[in-house]
Amino acid sequence: MRRLTLAFLLTASTALATELPVRSVTLSSAGLAQIERAGEVPADGDVTFRARTDDVDDLLRSLIVVDTAGTVEGLRLPARDLTDEAFRGLPLRAEDFDSRARLLAALRGQEAQAGDARGRIADAAEVEPVQGAPGGLRLTLITQRGLVTVMLREGDEVRLLDEGLAARVARAAESLAAARSADERRIDIRLRADRARQVAVLYVAGAPLWKPSYRLLVPPMGANAPSPAAPTAPTPAAPPPTPAVGPMARLQGWAVVENASGSDWDRIRLALVSGEAAAFRQRIYDPITVPRPELPVRVPGAIQVRPDTGGRPIPLPAPAPAAAMGGRAFEAAAPQMARRAAAPDAPVGAGIADAATSAAGASAESSAGRVAFVLAEPVTIRSGETANVPFLDVRLPAERVWWIQDLSARSPLQAVRIRNTSQHTLPDGLATVYGAEGPEAGVFLGDAEIRAMPAGDGRILAFGRDRDVQVNQTSSTADRVARIALRRGFVSVETIRTEQTSIAIDPRGARGPVVIDMPQRPGATPRFTVVSQGDFGLRHEAMLEGGPQTINLAYERTMTQSIPFWDAGLGEPVLLRWQNFDLEQNLRRLPGGPGTMERLQEILSRTPADGPGRADLAAVVETMGELRRLLDDARMKQRAYRTADQTLQRARQAAEDRTGAELQEARRRLNTASREADQAGTAADQAWEAWQRAVIALMQRGS
């Protein structure tokens, strides 16, 4: 392998940097990880560690440095586009580092020293060995005396004499090496202190969700609370007897954890947090430029020369107005760095209140809206590994039930009802259900979903369907008139509609509780016992005793219906004239016409004899019967008038066409037809007015 030393003279000294290991990780259900690094740092030592490039945004916004004996001077890390920034202004490109000859050739014109020769680089080329002569790198330098060729062997040194350029080339080489692992960045935190001390660094970064899963051992169907044992006197060597309790289920919680941080977790303190914390991303690692309006550069106008025409006076130009100059002052506030201190031995983020001890060697620390399961034993997870760690082992009161969610299903669900008697919320997760006793002992029964369960709350977990139990349901609807009120111009009818669902269940000898979820019906009142309500709707419970049983679940809905006596679209009754109104076409719109009376009669037939307002409705129906008689009389007399009017029109036409003796007879008939038409019109007016008066009287009834 060919090796050539390029010495870049660097005058800056590098402080001793301490790599801080990970000591504590708190994984959040918000997709974040709170990482704590801690260790001893010597006097005037800096802190360094590596982080994923995707985590730098979160790190820059959340970093906390705890150094009680030192001062934080700041944080440094390579730019996101570190290669472009490092090579900006250099005569080099990243590909020039592919070979030593290409690198030196890219530095043509720079002053360098190789051995005893000193000059500016003119060229560099590899020389292959020939006939036993060793090869090497031939470097050509331009000196005061001319060209000098230097043959460089393995280990020979070439030194750039421009220290600034040498430092920049060194930084470019460093950035090039860092760019080969573009998915991570080296973080350097500069500190100043006069003694060694403990330093902790805490930050928040994105992380895969920790996924809880449960193992649930359930009691058998029909398990009851055991009878209390006979009291015995406790002996000094034995604890007092435990009081009898009901059936219990054992719930074990395991967490799937992925270490995608890029650093090993070696015997760390691991906490698993369940809550609903707000989490955002902000790209503050990317360079952001503010767009500005472009102001063109003012240049003098081009000089144009016109030919002299001679002899003509040129008027003096008017004085130019003075140019107004404007300006704007800007103030910038310099950022200040705040330092948070903590006790040297206290872990960052400690002190969460309401600690409660759970099984499986983990403690649950609860606070407002969150719970953290802190594993008692240190955890080791290498970078890129996935682990499954237990965090919970509790016994909870439990009861096997049948659960009907879908009323159209032929069989109910098998389920267990548990209650969270711990002091903290159980997070969402999938539970694998096993039997605990009898023929089901150790048998997989199914999977169940556990939604977040606060302390003291309960859940029903379904894990299968019981095909031995048959279910059938029917629905029916019935209306009952509850109240009738007579108002001015209309009848108000209050009806109670009963919507009933009948569920027939045959447990075929089995005994146990059945839980039925019914939908919430807006505007309807349930007439069955509701033990709870929620997203599932309304929950009802019943006990099955082995034989077929029918459970009736009814809702009642109150409906109010107004039946007007008069169609407001016809105008005022007193102003309606039958001569300008098509009675036959609008017959159903009129009081006494077909439809309204029959409708009221049907309501009257469904009204109980002692129902409120029934007598008023019966009186209205009777009045409607009289209105129908008056309307029929008006219709008959209007037809008679129209017949008489047609006879009058024919007699008038006949009188106009006759002469002599026939004219006299035609005039007599015309006079007779005119009298009959007048009498028929008067009778029609009287009948219509009688009907109108009855309608107005009906409209004035009621309150």
Side-chain angles (χ1 to χ4, degrees):
M1 180 181 69
R2 296 172 178 174
R3 181 174 57 85
L4 182 66
T5 301
L6 300 179
F8 303 137
L9 302 181
L10 303 178
T11 58
S13 62
T14 303
L16 180 63
T18 301
E19 181 85 21
L20 288 184
V22 178
R23 295 302 187 196
S24 173
V25 174
T26 300
L27 295 177
S28 169
S29 57
L32 297 174
Q34 180 178 309
I35 299 176
E36 178 188 347
R37 296 174 178 266
E40 183 175 350
V41 178
D44 291 331
D46 293 338
V47 167
T48 183
F49 59 91
R50 292 188 174 273
R52 296 191 313 165
T53 305
D54 293 341
D55 294 338
V56 174
D57 288 322
D58 292 327
L59 188 148
L60 291 175
R61 70 175 177 84
S62 63
L63 179 69
I64 295 177
V65 179
V66 180
D67 186 355
T68 57
T71 302
V72 180
E73 294 184 345
L75 179 147
R76 299 291 186 275
L77 74 160
R80 178 175 284 277
D81 300 327
L82 69 168
T83 303
D84 294 341
E85 293 295 331
F87 282 88
R88 193 183 306 277
L90 283 178
L92 299 174
R93 296 294 178 265
E95 55 270 16
D96 293 334
F97 284 84
D98 291 344
S99 68
R100 56 185 183 176
R102 184 169 180 176
L103 178 60
L104 289 171
L107 293 172
R108 287 187 181 95
Q110 302 298 329
E111 192 173 5
Q113 181 173 352
D116 296 334
R118 178 174 179 174
R120 295 190 179 274
I121 300 174
D123 192 16
E126 294 285 353
V127 177
E128 299 293 335
V130 179
Q131 295 180 354
L137 178 66
R138 184 177 60 213
L139 179 64
T140 303
L141 301 176
I142 302 176
T143 66
Q144 296 292 338
R145 299 186 303 272
L147 295 177
V148 175
T149 300
V150 181
M151 201 64 161
L152 300 174
R153 310 298 180 186
E154 296 292 337
D156 290 346
E157 182 180 84
V158 177
R159 176 173 298 181
L160 293 178
L161 300 183
D162 185 344
E163 296 182 3
L165 177 63
R168 295 186 62 190
V169 173
R171 285 196 297 270
E174 182 182 355
S175 67
L176 190 62
R180 295 186 182 276
S181 58
D183 57 345
E184 69 175 10
R185 291 289 187 269
R186 176 188 171 95
I187 311 297
D188 293 316
I189 302 176
R190 299 181 182 178
L191 306 173
R192 186 173 70 251
D194 57 359
R195 59 184 175 87
R197 73 282 184 204
Q198 287 287 329
V199 176
V201 173
L202 183 144
Y203 58 92
V204 174
L209 286 173
W210 72 277
K211 281 94 56 184
S213 61
Y214 297 97
R215 287 76 168 145
L216 181 62
L217 281 73
V218 299
M221 192 72 185
N224 298 320
S227 6
T232 57
T235 61
T242 303
V245 296
M248 304 292 286
R250 184 179 181 183
L251 182 66
Q252 295 180 334
W254 289 68
V256 177
V257 178
E258 291 102 353
N259 180 3
S261 65
S263 302
D264 291 341
W265 297 346
D266 189 6
R267 296 186 61 78
I268 65 166
R269 175 181 178 270
L270 180 61
L272 309 172
V273 173
S274 175
E276 295 185 0
F280 302 97
R281 293 201 64 176
Q282 189 175 55
R283 297 192 177 277
I284 55 179
Y285 187 34
D286 294 343
I288 298 176
T289 58
V290 179
R292 296 172 293 168
E294 182 177 351
L295 186 65
V297 178
R298 302 296 181 183
V299 297
I303 299 176
Q304 296 181 353
V305 179
R306 295 184 179 182
D308 184 13
T309 59
R312 292 186 179 183
I314 301 176
L316 295 176
M325 301 297 293
R328 178 176 297 177
F330 295 90
E331 295 181 357
Q336 299 179 353
M337 178 178 298
R339 178 173 61 88
R340 296 179 59 183
D345 297 332
V348 179
I352 302 177
D354 297 333
T357 302
S358 67
S363 62
E365 302 175 350
S366 300
S367 62
R370 68 190 293 274
V371 58
F373 298 94
V374 183
L375 274 65
E377 297 296 329
V379 175
T380 297
I381 306 176
R382 302 301 178 190
S383 177
E385 286 185 347
T386 298
N388 197 12
V389 295
F391 69 93
L392 181 71
D393 193 349
V394 294
R395 293 184 180 274
L396 306 176
E399 181 185 23
R400 289 281 287 274
V401 299
W402 289 296
W403 190 10
I404 299 178
Q405 286 183 321
D406 182 6
L407 297 178
S408 62
R410 298 185 60 183
S411 299
L413 297 171
Q414 292 191 65
V416 60
R417 175 166 41 203
I418 62 175
R419 185 167 58 88
N420 182 9
T421 54
S422 68
Q423 301 300 315
H424 50 78
T425 298
L426 299 179
D428 295 342
L430 181 65
T432 303
V433 182
Y434 296 94
E437 302 176 19
E440 294 179 343
V443 176
F444 168 72
L445 301 180
D447 290 332
E449 181 184 8
I450 298 180
R451 304 303 295 267
M453 184 167 23
D457 205 352
R459 294 288 185 271
I460 297 179
L461 310 179
F463 52 84
R465 190 174 295 279
D466 191 344
R467 295 183 299 177
D468 293 336
V469 178
Q470 299 297 313
V471 178
N472 189 24
Q473 67 91 21
T474 58
S475 299
S476 61
T477 302
D479 292 340
R480 174 174 57 87
V481 177
R483 181 183 300 275
I484 296 174
L486 183 59
R487 307 301 182 195
R488 181 156 297 187
F490 64 91
V491 171
S492 177
V493 181
E494 184 179 296
T495 304
I496 295 179
R497 171 166 294 178
T498 302
E499 303 166 353
Q500 180 168 291
T501 299
S502 299
I503 302 175
I505 307 177
D506 184 4
R508 298 186 178 181
R511 289 177 170 82
V514 58
V515 178
I516 304 173
D517 287 347
M518 297 293 291
Q520 287 185 340
R521 300 183 181 182
T525 302
R527 294 306 179 191
F528 52 88
T529 303
V530 177
V531 296
S532 62
Q533 61 181 359
D535 295 337
F536 48 80
L538 305 177
R539 181 161 290 170
H540 175 75
E541 293 187 15
M543 182 63 66
L544 302 182
E545 299 296 342
Q549 187 172 339
T550 299
I551 302 173
N552 296 316
L553 305 173
Y555 296 84
E556 285 188 356
R557 189 187 308 273
T558 301
M559 301 180 297
T560 301
Q561 183 181 20
S562 296
I563 303 175
F565 299 143
W566 179 260
D567 188 343
L570 299 176
E572 292 295 330
V574 70
L575 300 179
L576 189 63
R577 294 291 179 262
W578 64 270
Q579 294 87 346
N580 304 323
F581 182 70
D582 191 340
L583 180 61
E584 299 301 327
Q585 184 176 357
N586 296 280
L587 189 61
R588 300 187 66 87
R589 302 174 64 185
L590 299 176
T596 304
M597 187 176 72
E598 286 75 9
R599 187 177 180 187
L600 294 177
Q601 286 176 336
E602 189 272 333
I603 295 174
L604 182 63
S605 65
R606 293 189 289 109
T607 304
D610 56 349
R614 189 183 191 282
D616 293 336
L617 180 60
V620 170
V621 171
E622 183 179 356
T623 302
M624 282 289 181
E626 178 62 19
L627 283 172
R628 173 164 294 186
R629 186 190 66 76
L630 293 174
L631 186 60
D632 289 342
D633 182 58
R635 292 170 61 200
M636 181 183 63
K637 291 181 177 178
Q638 287 178 23
R639 293 194 193 100
Y641 167 76
R642 291 189 178 90
T643 301
D645 185 65
Q646 292 174 359
T647 302
L648 176 61
Q649 296 301 327
R650 289 194 298 269
R652 184 176 290 113
Q653 186 66 34
E656 292 176 356
D657 296 340
R658 299 294 189 273
T659 59
E662 292 181 354
L663 177 60
Q664 293 298 325
E665 180 61 21
R667 287 178 177 176
R668 186 185 63 78
R669 292 179 180 176
L670 177 61
N671 291 334
T672 302
S674 179
R675 286 194 304 271
E676 292 177 353
D678 289 341
Q679 293 173 358
T682 301
D685 288 340
Q686 292 174 350
W688 182 254
E689 291 172 0
W691 174 82
Q692 284 180 314
R693 288 193 297 270
V695 169
I696 293 173
L698 176 63
M699 296 282 291
Q700 292 177 348
R701 288 189 182 183
S703 58

